[in-house]
Amino acid sequence: MDSGLLSDDDELVVAGPPAQPESCLPSTLDLIGAAVRRWFPTIHHMTPVELATRLAQVPPADGPDTDAYSNSGAQLVLLDVREPAEFAVSHIPGAVNVCPSAHKYPDDVMTILASVGPQSDSSAIVCYCSVGFRSSQLALAIATVEQRWLGRVHNLDGSIFRWASQGRQLVDQSGKPTESVHPYSSLWGNLISADLHSWEQPSSNSTRRDA
């Protein structure tokens, strides 16, 4: 591990954008995606088409409690880097919900990697959040803590907002198909159609910056 990425209290320091007022946020998913790719140039940003193709080739593993996809030993692990309330509204089938702040702590990153089990050299991890910032932070942290994952851990370009906007498969917390997606906040929700919005709890004004 590159010790230059650790602070004095063993907290991972992951590169990212300067803080901006929400009123200055880019107005489209394309602009957001371009910014995320610029902020995280060492991470591969997998397109929804690429992920959908991979998922079509790799059926769900046997067993109702299995959270990864597997096929002849080659696994594709999906990590949903959002809050539980966001995950409950909808997520990509097979995804595992992980804490958005896990990227800050090497021990938390190692715990996530341990939870997905032993992986082959052809395994891949795909992280997603609302638009790609939180998931890129985790992808970079994974590649930093375990360098063998460099090149095999990906951010989903446009994340769940783009995935949902393209009408791709989502399920709710009970596993039922849904088209809805948590908008993260009233402002970030402007990046997707209001018809797709769904809140687990009543909407409230949010001052969060990173989606």
Side-chain angles (χ1 to χ4, degrees):
M1 186 195 313
D2 184 351
S3 59
L5 293 174
L6 292 177
S7 64
D8 292 339
D9 58 356
D10 291 334
E11 180 174 316
L12 275 173
V13 178
V14 178
Q20 303 178 55
E22 288 201 328
S23 60
C24 296
L25 294 174
S27 58
T28 70
L29 275 176
D30 288 339
L31 289 175
I32 289 281
V36 169
R37 290 190 295 274
R38 184 172 67 251
W39 291 327
F40 299 93
T42 61
I43 297 299
H44 176 257
H45 300 275
M46 181 180 287
T47 68
V49 172
E50 289 178 296
L51 178 57
T53 300
R54 287 289 300 268
L55 292 178
Q57 296 170 344
V58 185
D62 294 334
D65 298 324
T66 302
D67 289 318
Y69 290 83
S70 65
N71 183 23
S72 302
Q75 291 190 334
L76 176 62
V77 179
L78 295 173
L79 299 181
D80 185 307
V81 194
R82 299 180 298 153
E83 298 292 346
E86 297 173 86
F87 183 83
V89 170
S90 67
H91 53 272
I92 299 174
V96 182
N97 189 211
V98 298
C99 179
S101 64
H103 70 277
K104 297 180 180 179
Y105 308 104
D107 286 348
D108 289 354
V109 175
M110 292 300 295
T111 297
I112 290 171
L113 291 175
S115 71
V116 303
Q119 306 294 304
S120 70
D121 290 341
S122 58
S123 301
I125 294 175
V126 180
C127 305
Y128 71 89
C129 55
S130 294
V131 300
F133 179 69
R134 290 176 288 179
S135 47
S136 290
Q137 286 181 310
L138 181 60
L140 180 58
I142 289 173
T144 300
V145 171
E146 283 283 350
Q147 293 188 358
R148 67 189 181 92
W149 284 106
L150 188 62
R152 295 193 292 125
V153 58
H154 315 274
N155 169 60
L156 177 60
D157 188 45
S159 278
I160 201 168
F161 278 11
R162 189 180 299 281
W163 184 269
S165 294
Q166 294 179 352
R168 300 187 185 277
Q169 186 179 12
L170 294 169
V171 295
D172 62 20
Q173 61 182 339
S174 64
K176 296 180 180 178
T178 181
E179 296 179 353
S180 299
V181 65
H182 195 292
Y184 185 80
S185 75
S186 57
L187 184 66
W188 283 96
N190 289 328
L191 295 171
I192 55 173
S193 170
D195 293 339
L196 299 177
H197 289 191
S198 180
W199 303 78
E200 187 185 39
Q201 298 176 348
S203 174
S204 61
N205 293 329
S206 174
T207 58
R208 294 180 294 183
R209 295 174 177 170
D210 306 324

